[in-house]
């Protein structure tokens, strides 16, 4: 008899408990695997083995955004990995082919790796669920329940689980330290920048302090240099197959701001502040309606964010370019972090993260104290009552309490 299988999370909450990327919160997936008869009302289900695992699936197709190349390029590349360890939920006693059951409720907890203890894929902190436009790259997760019925028949049931990462929040102190960089092109003028912080989310203001200073050893040449304009922008760089022999890079400019200057460079240098707003994606459609999100992917207000998987990697750069006469143009690319949440949203999460860390302090990974499984076998006393049935003489009838 085929089985009806579903996975339910804890009451009034999601499968995911804790914050992936923040080890103090012990991120984990909790719930219960429920197995019931699928055909008829009270036919017992034969179950030999039940396991559950969290699987990460990555796919890339770099040419999917171009109609002509889409059909001529190599096919979509896919990768499937188990995150952490597979958990055994039920195994029938030795010597028996299967157990005949009316219902099974099997609690489980799957701990998400914290990034410690080794470099193999199963121990890394998993990247966040993401789907780029035109599905050029995507990462999604599924809870896979394997049910074996008898010696040969095995079936897998997949349930999508969206996973976000919280280690790039712009409110963390390490992202609020000023970052500076310098670049020189032909030893005449030096370009220097300073960023007050370097993690940004949708609609966050991005400000940069810019300094153009002449080389004191080449002062006569430097005095002839005219600064025409200064351009700042934000570039998104997607690297496909980053760990392979031939990584493919695609760069897209998300935002750009230009300031016309038109002055000769002073002996003391030229200083200015430039800024722009990090672009956001409008989640609503043309009628102003917020569409239903797909189960496997959270709704983000950005088209992408800083992430790194096995088949692709996304990086962001703040670019500053000084256009000059009598000297080479100078281009400086400074890496930045892009977070799916804006600065206000990051602040709101901090209190919940602190509470999750306090709750996780009482959890033992080796013995998470799960509730006992509930298994109603065919020969148990009043077993049919769990399905709302009872025996009247030799006939099965609906149970009337």
């Amino acid at each position: 008899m085929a089985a009806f299988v579903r996975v339910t999370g804890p009451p009034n909450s999601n499968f995911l408990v804790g914050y992936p990327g923040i080890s103090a919160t012990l991120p984990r997936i909790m719930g219960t695997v429920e197995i019931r008869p699928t055909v008829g009302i009270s036919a017992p289900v034969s179950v030999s083995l039940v396991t559950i695992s969290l699987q990460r699936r990555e796919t890339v197709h770099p040419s999917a955004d171009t109609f002509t190349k889409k059909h001529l390029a190599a096919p979509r590349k896919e990768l499937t990995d188990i995150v952490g360890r597979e958990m055994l939920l039920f195994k029938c006693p030795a010597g028996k082919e299967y157990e005949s059951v009316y219902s099974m409720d099997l609690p489980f907890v799957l701990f998400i790796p914290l990034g410690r203890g080794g470099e193999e894929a199963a121990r890394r902190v998993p990247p966040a669920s993401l789907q780029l436009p035109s599905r050029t790259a995507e990462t999604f997760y599924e809870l896979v329940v394997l049910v074996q019925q008898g010696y040969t028949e095995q079936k897998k049931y997949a349930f999508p689980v969206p996973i976000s990462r919280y280690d790039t929040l712009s409110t963390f102190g390490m992202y609020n330290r000023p970052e500076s960089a310098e670049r020189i092109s032909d030893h005449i003028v030096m370009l220097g920048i300073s960023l007050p912080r370097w993690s940004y989310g949708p609609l966050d203001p991005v400000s940069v302090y810019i300094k153009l200073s002449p080389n004191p050893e080449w002062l006569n040449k430097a005095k002839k240099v005219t600064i025409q304009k200064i351009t700042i922008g934000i570039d998104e760089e997607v690297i496909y197959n980053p760990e392979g022999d031939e990584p493919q890079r695609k760069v897209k400019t998300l935002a750009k701001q230009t300031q016309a200057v038109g002055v000769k460079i002073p002996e003391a240098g030229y200083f200015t502040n430039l800024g722009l707003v990090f672009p956001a994606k409008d989640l609503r459609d043309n009628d102003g309606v917020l569409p239903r999100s797909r189960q496997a992917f959270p709704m983000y207000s950005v088209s992408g964010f800083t992430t790194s998987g096995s088949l692709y990697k996304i990086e962001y750069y703040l670019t500053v370019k000084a256009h000059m006469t009598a000297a080479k143009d100078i281009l400086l690319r400074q890496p930045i972090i892009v977070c799916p949440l804006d600065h206000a949203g990051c602040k709101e999460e901090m209190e919940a993260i602190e509470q999750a860390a306090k709750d996780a302090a009482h959890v033992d990974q080796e013995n998470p104290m799960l509730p006992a499984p509930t298994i109603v076998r065919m020969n148990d006393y009043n077993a049919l009552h769990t399905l709302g049935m009872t025996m009247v003489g030799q006939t099965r009838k609906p149970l009337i309490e």
Side-chain angles (χ1 to χ4, degrees):
M1 179 61 63
F4 169 75
V5 178
R6 73 174 181 180
V7 177
T8 57
N12 304 314
S13 64
N14 202 350
F15 292 121
L16 187 61
V17 181
Y19 290 81
I22 302 176
S23 56
T25 63
L26 277 185
R28 55 205 182 274
I29 292 176
M30 299 180 67
T32 305
V33 174
E34 299 178 355
I35 299 176
R36 302 287 187 272
T38 188
V39 179
I41 297 173
S42 55
V45 180
S46 305
V47 180
S48 306
L49 179 81
V50 182
T51 66
I52 189 169
S53 62
L54 179 66
Q55 286 191 0
R56 171 170 63 95
R57 296 183 63 186
E58 274 187 22
T59 71
V60 292
H61 195 332
S63 302
D65 55 350
T66 309
F67 182 77
T68 51
K69 289 184 180 178
K70 183 177 180 180
H71 303 286
L72 300 172
R76 180 174 292 275
K77 192 174 181 180
E78 297 194 15
L79 175 77
T80 303
D81 271 335
I82 290 182
V83 179
R85 290 181 294 184
E86 191 174 25
M87 184 177 180
L88 177 66
L89 299 180
F90 173 80
K91 188 176 182 181
C92 68
K96 289 187 75 173
E97 183 180 350
Y98 55 79
E99 287 268 20
S100 295
V101 300
Y102 284 132
S103 76
M104 287 183 125
D105 291 341
L106 307 171
F108 69 89
V109 59
L110 295 171
F111 287 94
I112 293 174
L114 306 175
R116 301 172 186 160
E119 283 299 313
E120 56 266 30
R123 292 181 185 270
R124 293 180 195 162
V125 181
S129 305
L130 174 65
Q131 186 179 65
L132 292 183
S134 303
R135 290 187 65 217
T136 52
E138 65 182 7
T139 298
F140 61 98
Y141 294 85
E142 291 177 329
L143 280 174
V144 178
V145 180
L146 183 143
V147 178
Q148 182 173 323
Q149 297 179 273
Y151 290 131
T152 55
E153 189 179 355
Q154 275 191 357
K155 284 190 179 178
K156 289 184 178 181
Y157 304 84
F159 305 89
V161 178
I163 288 184
S164 300
R165 283 275 292 267
Y166 294 88
D167 50 349
T168 59
L169 299 186
S170 58
T171 40
F172 288 142
M174 60 182 177
Y175 300 123
N176 287 297
R177 292 198 306 266
E179 284 281 308
S180 57
E182 291 180 340
R183 179 63 55 87
I184 194 165
S185 60
D186 53 6
H187 306 289
I188 298 175
V189 179
M190 178 182 284
L191 170 65
I193 67 164
S194 178
L195 287 170
R197 61 187 181 94
W198 48 290
S199 176
Y200 303 97
L203 298 181
D204 281 353
V206 181
S207 63
V208 55
Y209 173 75
I210 300 170
K211 177 186 177 183
L212 282 163
S213 52
N215 186 345
E217 296 179 3
W218 295 78
L219 203 54
N220 288 333
K221 283 189 176 182
K223 284 180 180 178
K224 298 174 185 176
V225 174
T226 300
I227 307 166
Q228 291 180 318
K229 59 184 179 181
I230 298 174
T231 303
I232 68 168
I234 295 171
D235 287 355
E236 177 186 74
E237 185 172 302
V238 184
I239 307 162
Y240 300 97
N241 198 25
E243 299 172 1
D245 297 331
E246 296 180 359
Q248 182 179 346
R249 296 172 182 267
K250 286 195 175 184
V251 181
K252 181 171 69 173
T253 300
L254 303 180
K256 187 184 278 190
Q257 183 82 19
T258 301
Q259 177 179 303
V261 181
V263 298
K264 286 190 180 293
I265 190 164
E267 193 173 329
Y270 179 81
F271 307 89
T272 186
N273 267 308
L274 279 180
L276 49 78
V277 175
F278 195 91
K281 183 176 72 174
D282 190 5
L283 297 175
R284 298 181 182 274
D285 60 18
N286 294 332
D287 298 322
V289 177
L290 199 65
R292 185 187 292 272
S293 63
R294 291 182 59 189
Q295 266 190 306
F297 303 101
M299 290 187 78
Y300 298 121
S301 295
V302 286
S303 57
F305 47 83
T306 304
T307 186
S308 179
S310 300
L311 297 181
Y312 70 96
K313 185 161 65 170
I314 307 177
E315 296 174 345
Y316 291 84
Y317 295 90
L318 178 75
T319 61
V320 180
K321 187 172 186 179
H323 302 260
M324 296 174 288
T325 58
K328 283 185 180 178
D329 295 347
I330 306 176
L331 175 64
L332 193 153
R333 295 180 88 219
Q334 176 68 16
I336 59 172
I337 299 291
V338 172
C339 170
L341 301 175
D342 60 9
H343 198 62
C346 292
K347 282 184 178 177
E348 290 173 5
E349 291 289 351
M350 294 304 285
E351 191 176 334
I353 290 172
E354 191 177 334
Q355 184 58 47
K358 290 177 182 175
D359 296 342
H362 305 292
V363 177
D364 181 7
Q365 273 189 274
E366 301 302 322
N367 183 20
M369 299 294 288
L370 286 171
T374 304
I375 301 172
V376 179
R377 293 170 175 81
M378 186 178 70
N379 297 324
D380 289 352
Y381 177 71
N382 281 341
L384 281 171
H385 286 196
T386 60
L387 301 175
M389 303 289 291
T390 190
M391 295 296 292
V392 178
Q394 298 297 316
T395 310
R396 292 178 183 176
K397 299 280 189 181
L399 176 66
I400 301 172
E401 296 282 351

